[in-house]
Amino acid sequence: MAVEPGSRRLRAALTAFFALDGFVFAGWVVRIPAVKEQTGASSSALGLALLGVSLGAVVTMMLTGRLCQRFGARPVTVGAALVLAASVALPPHAGSPLVLGLVLLLFGAAFGALNVAANSAAVELVAALGRPVMPSFHAAYSLGGMLGAGVGGLVAGQVSAARHLGALAVLGVAMVAVAARFLLSAAAPGGQAPDGATGARATAEPGSGGAETRWLVLVLGLIALCTAYGEGALADWSALHLRESLGANAGLAAAGYSVFAMAMTVGRLTGSALLERLGQTRALVAGGATAAVGMLLGALGPTVWLVLLGFVITGLGLANIFPVAIGRAGALAGAQGVAAASTLGYGGFLLGPVAIGFLADWFSLATAMTTVALLAAVAAATAQLARRRIQSD
């Protein structure tokens, strides 16, 4: 079946926003060690500061679902992306953990809003195309994360965090300005309004408010939470784990998140074919089990190279679990389903680093990272137990 020109244009523009999201967020996370040193924060104090990202994101996620239903997912995507890109310049200027937490509150609010809005727009397009292409959007996020981490690693030893993130903010705002023109003007499939408002309301299926549907959305949100916990932990703590636990230099430490993001990208680029071959449930179970094994190696490996290999295996395992869970929730209950599952999912992404910080102070960072493997196994078990409902609904 031929793809409409409007669908191609919309898919390309939306892909650019997913890539921007990953690029900006990764640019921030690879500079966390520098910001930690600048503020003089302990691991637990840094964890509390990172809670600002969590609180900002979780508070805005459910609100964003309603905004998408009222105004359309695409305009909300553009607005959130502008705030995210601009606010990434602020953390290096925080003089204390408290100020850092307040700055990250704004950054997290924009991050949460962008992810709900962009995923809602993606669910609309996936439904119109009739193909499981949701992983391709998340592949763009991972590719952006890989590039952002790679650039951050290259400049970490030569450029201050303030200059690096300031330049990233300027570049990010410029990218939003260009991509927004295409996202807002592209005609949606099936003759929907260009602003996406019609599509945002159309994604909700009849009866999507039923108790059984709400229960399944929560189950999908739990699966997303367990796996996003691992992504958040690796984003915020992989560099510190390599540097503090194994003595890696700054550039090699930054490569930890980069190789993880690269593995996520590869897994998601092949995700549509994997879903067509295995189906949703088998992909969820296999991915969770693979990530659990990989993260045990990533947390407990005795050398830098074994840990990096563990991160790669973990990335391949986690790659398609989150997009499948969020996409299924959106197919069941529209933008509100995306918002509900995303709130749980990104709650894991954002609260995971906080938990890792406290566990690292109480035990060790390596021990704390094993919780990623534990929750990946929980995700696999949950998907297996709910396999009939996930596959049939």
Side-chain angles (χ1 to χ4, degrees):
M1 181 178 64
V3 180
E4 300 174 9
S7 299
R8 288 197 297 267
R9 186 178 183 185
L10 178 55
R11 184 175 177 182
L14 190 55
T15 298
F17 276 92
F18 273 89
L20 174 69
D21 189 13
F23 184 71
V24 171
F25 192 79
W28 146 244
V29 299
V30 299
R31 300 315 297 254
I32 287 176
V35 174
K36 178 178 183 287
E37 183 177 353
Q38 168 193 315
T39 58
S42 65
S43 293
S44 56
L46 177 63
L48 286 173
L50 293 173
L51 186 60
V53 180
S54 309
L55 291 175
V58 170
V59 166
T60 58
M61 279 179 171
M62 294 306 295
L63 174 62
T64 304
R66 297 187 181 94
L67 291 175
C68 288
Q69 289 182 314
R70 181 170 182 179
F71 300 108
R74 285 189 267 169
V76 178
T77 297
V78 172
L82 279 172
V83 177
L84 180 75
S87 62
V88 76
L90 300 178
H93 300 285
S96 68
L98 175 60
V99 175
L100 178 62
L102 294 175
V103 165
L104 292 178
L105 189 68
L106 174 64
F107 184 74
F111 180 75
L114 176 57
N115 279 283
V116 170
N119 275 294
S120 296
V123 167
E124 297 168 16
L125 184 56
V126 169
L129 293 175
R131 295 181 55 227
V133 298
M134 192 71 166
S136 68
F137 294 114
H138 289 258
Y141 174 87
S142 296
L143 180 60
M146 182 182 69
L147 293 174
V151 171
L154 288 175
V155 304
Q158 290 78 34
V159 179
S160 69
R163 289 187 177 182
H164 170 211
L165 296 184
L168 181 60
V170 172
L171 177 61
V173 170
M175 291 171 63
V176 172
V178 173
R181 295 178 54 197
F182 296 96
L183 185 68
L184 297 177
S185 64
Q192 296 172 12
D195 66 1
T198 301
R201 287 188 288 270
T203 52
E205 297 177 355
S208 63
E212 188 172 358
T213 297
R214 289 196 297 271
W215 174 84
L216 185 54
V217 167
L218 290 177
V219 169
L220 291 165
L222 174 63
I223 292 171
L225 181 153
C226 290
T227 55
Y229 175 98
E231 190 172 352
L234 283 164
D236 285 1
W237 292 101
S238 59
L240 286 170
H241 176 49
L242 286 164
R243 191 167 184 176
E244 296 182 359
S245 302
L246 297 168
N249 60 42
L252 190 56
Y257 183 67
S258 183
V259 300
F260 171 75
M262 179 178 65
M264 294 275 284
T265 303
V266 171
R268 286 171 172 173
L269 286 173
T270 58
S272 295
L274 181 70
L275 290 174
E276 289 173 343
R277 182 179 180 86
L278 297 181
Q280 296 183 20
T281 302
R282 288 181 180 177
L284 290 174
V285 174
T290 299
V293 172
M295 199 55 217
L296 285 177
L297 181 60
L300 303 176
T303 69
V304 169
W305 301 111
L306 284 176
V307 169
L308 290 174
L309 175 61
F311 289 170
V312 169
I313 297 171
T314 303
L316 291 173
L318 294 181
N320 294 302
I321 301 178
F322 191 90
V324 168
I326 299 302
R328 193 74 191 109
L332 288 167
Q336 286 291 70
V338 172
S342 293
T343 301
L344 286 171
Y346 283 109
F349 182 85
L350 298 165
L351 291 173
V354 180
I356 293 290
F358 281 101
L359 290 171
D361 273 353
W362 295 337
F363 303 103
S364 69
L365 185 52
T367 301
M369 297 289 276
T370 63
T371 58
V372 174
L374 174 63
L375 289 183
V378 169
T382 302
Q384 178 65 23
L385 290 173
R387 61 190 182 280
R388 290 188 178 87
R389 302 305 302 158
I390 294 174
Q391 199 69 39
S392 62
D393 275 320

